[in-house]
Amino acid sequence: MRWPSTGTGLGRGDKRRVAALLTLAIAFALSANAGSVCAVQSGATPRPVKASATLPPLDDHGLDVIEQVALSQINEERRAIGVQDLVVSPELCKIARQYCRDMAERRFFAHLDPDGKMVYDRAAKGGVSEWTNIAENIARNRGFEDPAVVAVREWMKSAGHRDNILNARFVETGLGAWVGPDRTVYFAQIFIRRPPKR
């Protein structure tokens, strides 16, 4: 028995053609991006590769340099539109760096961690619980000479990330970085506005 068609269903041959077209579209998209790695990636886990270096400790000078480059680029973007530089909070930087390390070690990439915690949960755990606005940008990339510049450039291409960076209501920030065992560099930036002091 055949059911009446509503005009929206696909026949067996149509499904094969759609599958073939999707496969071609995905292959084309992948080949078009083969030479670049987007800093703001999906939640997919990066492929493991052999790395000769070990993970740096949390106070590693190399991480400080990567973070400073990113913060400098971000404040440059803000100045370009007449917005004040973000004030760096050491406590937020520590929270952000720890989150990057967590993403690298537990091999996930998302604002929601595997324990179901979001940026406001991580901030509170790190001792930052009084704020009126909070936001987070995350990024990761691998194989670039200057991963911080790439991360900021890709954030600026994304409306939501760019809005966080350029938003004048955010006055304080913490930016962290971590290098995973496959040399993927993870970034997290926390933006907050604290309530006025009474």
Side-chain angles (χ1 to χ4, degrees):
M1 171 183 220
R2 290 191 72 156
W3 293 99
S5 173
T6 61
T8 60
L10 296 175
R12 186 175 295 175
D14 293 330
K15 288 179 185 175
R16 284 192 197 124
R17 279 190 288 280
V18 169
L21 286 173
L22 282 173
T23 303
L24 285 173
I26 291 168
F28 177 75
L30 290 174
S31 68
N33 290 324
S36 65
V37 177
C38 182
V40 184
Q41 297 179 351
S42 70
T45 303
R47 276 191 333 229
V49 296
K50 292 201 181 235
S52 57
T54 58
L55 286 172
L58 274 177
D59 60 354
D60 181 74
H61 175 71
L63 291 177
D64 291 340
V65 170
I66 291 171
E67 293 163 355
Q68 285 303 315
V69 168
L71 284 166
S72 174
Q73 294 275 312
I74 285 161
N75 278 330
E76 201 172 290
E77 294 287 352
R78 288 173 67 90
R79 272 184 245 117
I81 64 159
V83 177
Q84 286 189 325
D85 285 8
L86 290 163
V87 176
V88 176
S89 160
E91 58 192 342
L92 290 176
C93 287
K94 183 177 178 182
I95 295 164
R97 187 182 282 184
Q98 185 58 52
Y99 190 56
C100 291
R101 181 179 184 171
D102 190 31
M103 288 190 289
E105 290 180 352
R106 294 206 284 169
R107 301 192 52 74
F108 73 96
F109 181 73
H111 293 285
L112 182 69
D113 73 20
D115 302 320
K117 305 293 185 206
M118 292 292 288
V119 63
Y120 44 84
D121 299 308
R122 293 187 287 277
K125 184 178 178 187
V128 180
S129 56
E130 290 194 28
W131 44 264
T132 56
N133 301 93
I134 190 166
E136 175 183 66
N137 284 354
I138 60 173
R140 67 180 175 186
N141 62 59
R142 177 175 56 208
F144 292 99
E145 259 183 59
D146 200 337
V149 170
V150 173
V152 175
R153 181 184 72 214
E154 296 301 316
W155 278 337
M156 291 303 291
K157 290 179 185 177
S158 160
H161 296 98
R162 184 177 57 250
D163 289 348
N164 286 341
I165 289 170
L166 301 179
N167 194 327
R169 85 173 161 224
F170 292 126
V171 295
E172 200 172 343
T173 194
L175 193 139
W178 193 263
V179 182
D182 64 353
R183 308 313 291 162
T184 296
V185 183
Y186 291 80
F187 294 90
Q189 183 174 16
I190 303 168
F191 304 84
I192 66 166
R193 179 180 188 92
R194 296 184 197 254
K197 293 186 179 181
R198 297 177 192 167

